[in-house]
């Protein structure tokens, strides 16, 4: 081989091999960085979605308890609100379990306890057909205590979501 054949555009073959190596390494590095960043972004976005759902439940409960305290809700409205929130809390706990293996149902359980207690109060049952239900001071204090406990549960759930790792699914050919 002639020395001129080994030189292309003023570079020797070893120089071309070095350039190709740099390009390939750079492309692989960029591909890995983008893939990892996309994974982290998707994971963080999903966690933020669940955290926002917990915050929304907190806000809805705050407003609801405010209405109970003021006595401007009917028994039917209260019962319907509890039904809607039951579905919402059940779905949230279910998806948190599926995605992050968060096994207990803190929110759903505390919601069920609040629902049970509020609908068991004499004021609720005695005024079921009335336009509004007025709770006694004792019942209001119980409701506020339950709301405080719910706030702790919701805070714990945010901590659990932030600490959770994605649940990886591995599929076999037999499934």
């Amino acid at each position: 081989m002639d020395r001129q054949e080994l030189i292309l555009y003023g570079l020797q073959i070893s120089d071309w091999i070095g350039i190709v190596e740099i390009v390939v390494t750079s492309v692989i590095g960029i591909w890995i960085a983008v893939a990892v960043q996309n994974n982290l972004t998707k994971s963080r976005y999903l966690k933020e979605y669940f955290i926002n759902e917990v915050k929304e439940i907190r806000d809805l409960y705050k407003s609801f308890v405010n209405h109970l305290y003021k006595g401007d809700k009917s028994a039917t409205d209260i019962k319907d609100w509890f039904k809607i929130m039951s579905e919402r809390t059940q779905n949230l706990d279910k998806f948190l379990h599926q995605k992050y293996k968060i096994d207990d149902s803190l929110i759903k359980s505390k919601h069920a306890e609040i629902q049970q207690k509020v609908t068991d109060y004499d004021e609720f049952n005695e005024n079921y057909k009335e336009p509004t239900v007025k709770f006694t001071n004792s019942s209001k204090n119980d409701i506020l205590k339950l709301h405080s406990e719910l706030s702790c549960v919701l805070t714990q759930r945010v901590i659990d979501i932030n600490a959770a790792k994605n649940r990886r699914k591995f599929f076999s050919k037999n499934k």
Side-chain angles (χ1 to χ4, degrees), residues 27-170:
V27 167
I28 290 173
I30 291 169
W31 177 73
I32 289 172
V34 168
V36 167
Q37 182 61 36
N38 283 343
N39 244 356
L40 291 175
T41 301
K42 287 177 189 174
S43 175
R44 188 67 225 161
Y45 177 78
L46 192 56
K47 284 184 178 184
E48 286 299 321
Y49 169 80
F50 286 127
I51 290 170
N52 285 334
E53 184 67 14
V54 171
K55 287 179 185 176
E56 192 167 329
I57 289 171
R58 179 188 312 263
D59 292 342
L60 290 169
Y61 248 103
K62 182 179 177 183
S63 174
F64 177 70
V65 168
N66 229 1
H67 287 290
L68 291 182
Y69 203 81
K70 291 177 185 174
D72 59 4
K73 289 275 187 192
S74 71
T76 306
D77 290 341
I78 293 169
K79 185 182 72 158
D80 290 344
W81 188 87
F82 277 129
K83 282 182 185 176
I84 291 167
M85 288 305 289
S86 291
E87 289 297 317
R88 195 165 184 172
T89 57
Q90 182 177 353
N91 287 337
L92 177 62
D93 280 339
K94 179 178 83 173
F95 286 115
L96 288 175
H97 172 70
Q98 287 175 351
K99 184 65 180 166
Y100 300 115
K101 282 189 175 180
I102 297 175
D103 289 328
D104 54 3
S105 54
L106 284 175
I107 299 171
K108 178 181 155 189
S109 297
K110 185 51 73 176
H111 169 74
E113 179 185 350
I114 294 170
Q115 180 178 8
Q116 182 67 40
K117 288 200 177 185
V118 169
T119 57
D120 276 350
Y121 286 129
D122 290 337
E123 304 94 284
F124 180 85
N125 293 303
E126 291 169 2
N127 296 300
Y128 194 82
K129 300 236 185 243
E130 299 299 319
T132 61
V133 176
K134 305 277 187 210
F135 291 97
T136 64
N137 285 338
S138 174
S139 297
K140 287 179 185 179
N141 287 338
D142 289 344
I143 292 169
L144 290 176
K145 182 179 178 241
L146 289 167
H147 183 247
S148 176
E149 292 170 7
L150 176 72
S151 291
C152 290
V153 164
L154 294 173
T155 300
Q156 181 60 52
R157 190 50 81 215
V158 169
I159 292 168
D160 295 341
I161 292 168
N162 273 318
K165 301 219 183 301
N166 278 343
R167 184 177 186 177
R168 299 280 183 202
K169 293 184 180 179
F170 294 100

